[in-house]
Amino acid sequence: MYKIMTAGPTQVRENVRQARSLETTNPDLDEAFCEFYKETCDLLEELLHSSGTAYILGGEGILGLEAACASLTEPGDRVLVLDNGIFGKGFADFVRIYGGEPVLFTSDYRRPIDVDQLKAFLEKDSDFKYATVVHCDTPSGVLNDVSQICPLLAAQGILSVVDSVAGMFGEAIDVDASKIDILCGGSQKALSAPAGLTMLWVSDKAMAAMENRRTPIASFYANILTFKTYYEDKWFPYTMPISDINGLRAAVDNVMADKDILRRHEKIAAATRQAVEEAGLKLYLETGFSNTVTVIEVPEGLTDTQILSTMREKHNIMISGCFDVLAGKVIRIGHMGENACEEDMAQTLAAMDETLVELGWPLARGMKDTFLRLMEKE
Ligand SMILES: *Cc1c(COP(=O)(O)O)cnc(C)c1O
């Protein structure tokens, strides 16, 4: 087994794995499961400060993004797609699939969305049913300030869909204060449960928009409305993956008990970035670093494959490369959730040091030592 220090899926704690192996009931018929599901959703609402409703859907993180677009988009709807990263731009595809007209607001992939520029744009054109924005766009690691962006959209009557799959629990999110209408999360990033579940936080406004559509939602599996009355009816639209949800609940409990989680992410991320720079490597971003992932340019003279395979084969550690426009250009270390652990990061950076030396790259200073020195400071 490799140690997975990737940008998700992340490492899974023993108690989460154990919870997934519990004996299970029939989740369609046993009302105890319905209560357990509701309780878990209530905890998710509490954790991210939502007065709307949280739902857990059986399907990978991508399902949540698609469900948000499927449930809101009607043919001909104009949808503002905030694009400063690969996932950001990707929302345009979901909008198109459901007959909407995506309008891209594209900005520099190496920095967060400039809120003033967005404001100026919206003053000229604000005729959008909803807008999509990614909190942490994982391929670059850029963090967008959704606490500024979403209220701006709300002031123009535009609903907001936020992908925080790789942000939440490693970066602060306050759904109500930020006026987020649909927040999308996944099980396998900072929550550190295995891949397979989507979580959605849906505002009453977003629910009303779905109910007041002129045309039916062109999906069943990605239709958020099918969950609306599950608790009153004690009936889910399809059989819930009970073992996955048992694991997710253990992971939610872990996060709830971890009062230091955001500060730890911040400290580990800052130490990692500084260690990378002092080593003579280059961070991909100019500003706007998410504390969940560090994205490093592939150094001159080396390839991503050389680094990734040496890390795997000689050091038994898996880190991420990238895809789409960043394929071959960057490598990524995921330090979110269970991966936000000093020991694991020290081990990963030590392996990176050795890997670069083995590959003949002139490392200016060992990353592990810098990292540990910085972690000692208060
Ligand atoms: C991981 C991730 C997703 C979900 O992608 P999967 O392929 O389902 O894991 C969505 N958005 C972002 C920003 C992500 O990092």
Side-chain angles (χ1 to χ4, degrees):
M1 279 293 286
Y2 298 117
K3 181 185 276 292
I4 52 165
M5 296 301 287
T6 46
T10 52
Q11 301 181 86
V12 174
R13 204 186 289 181
E14 173 76 11
N15 68 343
V16 174
R17 290 193 290 112
Q18 295 280 354
R20 284 164 56 84
S21 68
L22 294 174
E23 201 175 339
T24 53
T25 179
N26 181 328
D28 291 330
L29 304 178
D30 192 335
E31 289 193 7
F33 173 78
C34 192
E35 291 298 330
F36 177 76
Y37 177 99
K38 167 85 164 47
E39 242 177 59
T40 308
C41 292
D42 289 348
L43 291 176
L44 290 170
E45 289 160 16
E46 185 187 329
L47 268 174
L48 300 188
H49 318 285
S50 163
S51 58
T53 312
Y55 301 99
I56 303 161
L57 277 57
E60 238 312 291
I62 288 291
L63 172 64
L65 318 190
E66 176 157 1
C69 295
S71 302
L72 288 177
T73 314
E74 292 196 70
D77 280 345
R78 294 180 82 231
V79 178
L80 181 62
V81 173
L82 303 184
D83 159 34
N84 68 328
I86 294 168
F87 278 98
K89 184 175 189 165
F91 265 111
D93 295 332
F94 291 127
V95 171
R96 262 186 227 106
I97 288 170
Y98 293 96
E101 184 200 325
V103 175
L104 268 68
F105 175 85
T106 300
S107 63
D108 193 338
Y109 275 29
R110 290 183 193 254
R111 2 177 95 246
I113 290 160
D114 183 319
V115 177
D116 291 330
Q117 272 176 18
L118 176 62
K119 198 168 178 185
F121 175 90
L122 289 172
E123 274 160 18
K124 291 194 206 113
D125 186 1
S126 62
D127 180 22
F128 301 102
K129 178 168 188 183
Y130 70 97
T132 62
V133 57
V134 179
H135 188 205
C136 164
D137 208 310
T138 336
S140 68
V142 72
L143 186 76
N144 288 313
D145 187 353
V146 295
S147 75
Q148 297 282 323
I149 293 169
C150 298
L152 202 60
L153 295 166
Q156 301 281 355
I158 303 167
L159 297 169
S160 56
V161 171
V162 174
D163 168 358
S164 184
V165 174
M168 58 175 65
F169 310 121
E171 289 282 350
I173 278 267
D174 187 319
V175 173
D176 283 356
S178 300
K179 299 185 191 293
I180 296 169
D181 289 298
I182 301 184
L183 179 71
C184 309
S187 53
Q188 84 284 26
K189 302 281 167 84
L191 189 54
S192 289
L197 295 175
T198 278
M199 299 91 74
L200 290 173
W201 289 252
V202 184
S203 75
D204 295 344
K205 240 167 51 186
M207 216 37 133
M210 293 175 212
E211 288 181 303
N212 296 330
R213 290 170 56 115
R214 290 165 278 118
T215 55
I217 293 172
S219 173
F220 180 78
Y221 207 68
N223 179 345
I224 298 171
L225 272 185
T226 59
F227 278 79
K228 188 175 179 229
T229 56
Y230 82 86
Y231 189 65
E232 293 74 38
D233 301 345
K234 310 288 177 225
W235 186 254
F236 291 97
Y238 48 89
T239 304
M240 289 289 101
I242 180 168
S243 296
D244 290 347
I245 293 172
N246 283 340
L248 182 105
R249 172 56 176 274
V252 168
D253 290 341
N254 286 345
V255 169
M256 293 213 73
D258 188 352
K259 299 300 172 210
D260 197 39
I261 190 166
L262 293 179
R263 217 185 63 88
R264 187 169 65 254
H265 277 81
E266 189 181 351
K267 190 165 186 193
I268 283 180
T272 303
R273 290 193 294 265
Q274 191 171 331
V276 164
E277 290 199 294
E278 288 188 15
L281 292 163
K282 202 166 168 298
L283 296 168
Y284 174 75
L285 292 174
E286 286 165 13
T287 63
F289 303 93
S290 170
N291 289 326
T292 52
V293 58
T294 293
V295 182
I296 307 166
E297 291 192 357
V298 173
E300 193 75 29
L302 300 182
T303 66
D304 60 339
T305 315
Q306 282 178 307
I307 299 169
L308 301 180
S309 52
T310 306
M311 285 290 284
R312 275 205 308 271
E313 286 155 25
K314 295 223 167 125
H315 303 281
N316 219 38
I317 296 175
M318 199 180 258
I319 58 171
S320 306
C322 210
F323 50 93
D324 201 273
V325 293
L326 288 176
K329 299 204 168 111
V330 297
I331 54 172
R332 302 179 293 156
I333 303 174
H335 36 72
M336 60 183 95
E338 292 294 312
N339 290 11
C341 159
E342 179 172 340
E343 259 173 46
D344 290 339
M345 278 305 295
Q347 191 189 339
T348 303
L349 293 174
M352 281 279 285
D353 289 338
E354 285 179 36
T355 296
L356 291 169
V357 169
E358 281 160 25
L359 294 172
W361 195 78
L363 190 72
R365 179 175 294 164
M367 288 184 275
K368 177 194 159 194
D369 290 346
T370 311
F371 175 79
L372 287 177
R373 173 169 54 79
L374 295 168
M375 289 302 291
E376 267 173 30
K377 289 191 193 163
E378 248 330 288

